[in-house]
Amino acid sequence: MNRFFSLTLALLLLLSCTACVGRAAAPGEEPAPADMSAEQPLDPPDETEILEEPAEEEPVEAPEEPYVRVIDPARPMVALTFDDGPDGTWSDAILDVLEEHHALATFFEVGRNVLACPEPVRRMAELGCEVGSHSNAHKDLSKLKKRALLGDLDTADDAFVSAGVEAPTLVRPPYGAVNKTVKSATGRSMVTWTVDTEDWRSRDAQAVIDFVQSAGDLDGEIVLMHSIYESTADATAVLVPWLQEQGYQLVTVTELLAYYYGELPQPDCFYGYTYFSTHGRTDTPVPLPGEAFPGAGVPEEDFPEEPAGQEAPAESDSSGEEDAPVETETPGEDPPEPEWTPTRVQRSTAAPAQAAPTTP
Ligand code: NI
């Protein structure tokens, strides 16, 4: 019995010692494994989770209130215009910039280009940009007989309609070339520009940027560029935010005519050198069609027909100050206005406006 008892005791001792060894080892190593496990995958996942959470919150905050564009007729404004497109690459690059900055511009597109590349034109209209015609084949319209002239413009209109936008009533004649028929017998409104960046000549983004940034007061100006060059798209990416920082509202040509010059573009009227050099900021901006008042952007059914006062000067090619020079032209050949001159319209000191040199 004693032997059995002592054997059993020895066994129990041995077992407890083994357990002790096991336990003794564990407490000794515990801190290490604990630290290691702390350094191990526990923390990184936490950080990942923390990083992921705000990323999920941001999109929730992003769809804030929709941007409401309101133009203040009393504040400086400038109309950027892009000719010769649409271009499969650079039109969209320019539209990206405009969309990002809630800015609008006017695109004078060539009908045959619209037929070949209609998507950008639809996007322009969707964004609220103005789509004007730049003829169908970019010919010198002043050299066409009237029937050919109207045929060209009508063919262009068909291209716009087939692209899903309205046939433009605003036309920029290629090269700025006009004669009496182009100016006043197409049923359209013809408009040129007041500031020429000569982007087609330089094909240099920095040159275009430098030109615009050193052009002085741009309030009321129509800036000519072309949407078919990478350099122009690059320049636009800099100039749009820069102009806004200077205080300019970026408006369409029709908005500029209504809000700055105080009249809606009229059919068979020419808005060219003579017009822009003798007109300035109006005291009586007019609403766009369907607007309650200038800049409101809110349609109202029955707003008083203020533009009626404008219609009188509009209908007469012979009444306005601008028309005297027009009549000087012989009905036949009219020397085309070169596309690059004048680089900037010089406003007459007798202009009926305060082309206010106020800080933009
Ligand atoms: Ni052109």
Side-chain angles (χ1 to χ4, degrees):
M1 284 297 289
N2 277 344
R3 182 183 284 179
F4 178 77
F5 180 78
S6 57
L7 259 173
T8 308
L9 208 133
L11 253 173
L12 280 172
L13 270 172
L14 201 110
L15 277 171
S16 67
C17 276
T18 310
C20 281
V21 168
R23 280 173 194 163
E29 291 166 10
E30 253 173 0
D35 282 354
M36 285 183 71
S37 65
E39 288 167 7
Q40 275 172 3
L42 283 177
D43 283 349
D46 284 348
E47 287 170 15
T48 315
E49 283 167 18
I50 289 165
L51 284 175
E52 279 172 3
E53 280 171 16
E56 284 170 10
E57 286 171 11
E58 278 172 19
V60 177
E61 294 171 7
E64 298 164 347
E65 321 111 37
Y67 177 80
V68 178
R69 180 172 177 272
V70 177
I71 300 300
D72 180 355
R75 284 182 46 220
M77 62 186 84
V78 61
L80 299 182
T81 65
F82 300 90
D83 288 9
D84 292 2
D87 180 273
T89 301
W90 307 121
S91 290
D92 271 318
I94 291 167
L95 289 171
D96 288 344
V97 174
L98 295 172
E99 184 174 15
E100 180 186 348
H101 296 280
H102 301 298
L104 296 187
T106 302
F107 293 82
F108 290 99
E109 306 293 48
V110 177
R112 61 184 180 186
N113 295 350
V114 172
L115 214 53
C117 182
E119 290 82 7
V121 175
R122 283 194 285 270
R123 187 180 170 204
M124 288 163 197
E126 284 168 9
L127 291 177
C129 288
E130 186 162 27
V131 179
S133 173
H134 198 41
S135 83
N136 186 60
H138 206 277
K139 291 177 181 169
D140 181 341
L141 300 183
S142 70
K143 292 181 177 170
L144 299 182
K145 302 286 185 192
K146 185 173 181 181
R147 178 175 295 184
L149 163 66
L150 295 180
D152 180 277
L153 294 176
D154 288 345
T155 304
D157 285 353
D158 292 343
F160 287 101
V161 171
S162 71
V165 300
E166 290 181 16
T169 56
L170 201 61
V171 177
R172 173 170 284 164
Y175 316 107
V178 292
N179 59 15
K180 191 169 185 177
T181 306
V182 174
K183 284 178 176 176
S184 58
T186 68
R188 279 92 165 168
S189 310
M190 293 282 163
V191 63
T192 56
W193 56 87
T194 65
V195 174
D196 186 355
T197 63
E198 300 192 346
D199 60 336
W200 62 273
R201 192 196 293 268
S202 70
R203 311 272 181 100
D204 179 345
Q206 195 57 49
V208 174
I209 293 166
D210 291 344
F211 179 84
V212 173
Q213 292 187 340
S214 61
D217 184 11
L218 291 169
D219 190 18
E221 305 290 352
I222 300 177
V223 179
L224 171 62
M225 292 189 275
H226 297 79
S227 58
I228 54 174
Y229 305 118
E230 180 177 10
S231 53
T232 298
D234 291 345
T236 303
V238 173
L239 288 174
V240 165
W242 182 82
L243 286 165
Q244 290 177 327
E245 284 164 17
Q246 307 307 303
Y248 292 107
Q249 304 168 94
L250 298 183
V251 299
T252 68
V253 167
T254 293
E255 286 173 338
L256 189 77
L257 285 171
Y259 299 157
Y260 185 92
Y261 293 96
E263 64 180 282
L264 295 174
Q266 300 296 317
D268 292 330
C269 279
F270 177 59
Y271 303 88
Y273 179 84
T274 306
Y275 178 89
F276 292 115
S277 60
T278 56
H279 290 68
R281 181 181 283 282
T282 182
D283 292 332
T284 54
V286 301
L288 295 177
E291 259 190 348
F293 56 88
V298 180
E300 185 177 300
E301 294 300 325
D302 50 354
F303 63 89
E305 286 193 1
E306 292 174 37
Q310 318 258 313
E311 286 166 15
E315 61 188 56
S316 60
D317 280 344
S318 53
S319 70
E321 317 85 45
E322 63 171 315
D323 299 319
V326 174
E327 287 174 1
T328 314
E329 307 160 337
T330 51
E333 293 285 306
D334 191 22
E337 294 183 15
E339 189 162 13
W340 60 90
T341 52
T343 298
R344 175 161 185 171
V345 168
Q346 297 301 315
R347 296 196 187 282
S348 160
T349 50
Q354 324 83 359
T358 50
T359 46

